Amino acid sequence: MKNKLHRFISSTVSYHDFKEAVNIASELDCGLEISRFGKLSEIEDNFEKNKQEFLQIARQNIKREGIENLLSWLETTDFFEAPASSRFHSAEAGGLCFHSINVYKRLLKLATEEFGEDKVNKESIAVIALFHDICKC
């Protein structure tokens, strides 16, 4: 049971599924090691802040038709609570949103340094960076 539960937790990409698995592990008292998720991280503590930053970046930079519909739909998913990965980068609750913001900031910086601020299409950078992992929600 412990190994099966461990595989479930390791392979999940849904924060809600992860929370359920942790609850099951606790109820079964199976000794599953969950210490890296046992304490809220800075990312988890800042769910709402990260969500608002993501939405602000999207609204300030993306003027394409349908962006508000996309953002509304995104709020019905677990995008803002889900980890970015099950075991690697930002593999914690809220990591997907946090990771997407970081990709945006890094891509914007690289493009600006390479091409100059006047040549950078901030809308395209926002679309690419913020929504590159949309399939994970």
Side-chain angles (χ1 to χ4, degrees):
M1 179 62 149
K2 180 179 174 181
N3 288 336
K4 183 177 180 181
L5 193 55
H6 180 51
R7 281 193 305 275
F8 172 71
I9 290 175
S10 295
S11 65
T12 187
V13 293
S14 168
Y15 173 64
H16 298 291
D17 290 343
F18 174 77
K19 282 179 29 181
E20 180 181 339
V22 170
N23 290 338
I24 293 169
S26 297
E27 288 173 16
L28 295 174
D29 193 29
C30 65
L32 181 66
E33 177 58 49
I34 57 169
S35 61
R36 74 180 179 134
F37 295 98
K39 176 177 170 255
L40 286 181
S41 71
E42 185 177 328
I43 295 171
E44 293 171 305
D45 283 341
N46 290 308
F47 274 151
E48 192 58 34
K49 178 186 156 288
N50 291 336
K51 176 181 176 181
Q52 292 311 315
E53 183 176 4
F54 180 97
L55 295 171
Q56 179 182 15
I57 292 167
R59 288 185 173 121
Q60 283 180 346
N61 294 286
I62 303 170
K63 304 303 179 197
R64 299 175 190 198
E65 183 178 335
I67 187 59
E68 285 303 321
N69 291 337
L70 178 59
L71 295 175
S72 293
W73 173 79
L74 208 55
E75 291 193 66
T76 68
T77 71
D78 66 347
F79 180 86
F80 297 104
E81 299 172 336
S85 137
S86 61
R87 292 183 287 184
F88 303 107
H89 64 285
S90 301
E92 55 198 309
L96 184 55
C97 176
F98 179 77
H99 164 70
S100 298
I101 292 168
N102 286 338
V103 169
Y104 166 78
K105 289 176 180 178
R106 183 71 177 139
L107 185 56
L108 181 61
K109 182 177 188 228
L110 288 170
T112 301
E113 289 172 357
E114 179 74 21
F115 303 110
E117 191 170 347
D118 58 325
K119 302 253 188 204
V120 173
N121 184 328
K122 291 181 180 179
E123 183 175 45
S124 291
I125 288 175
V127 170
I128 292 164
L130 295 178
F131 301 110
H132 77 279
D133 275 340
I134 197 169
C135 62
K136 291 184 178 180
C137 63

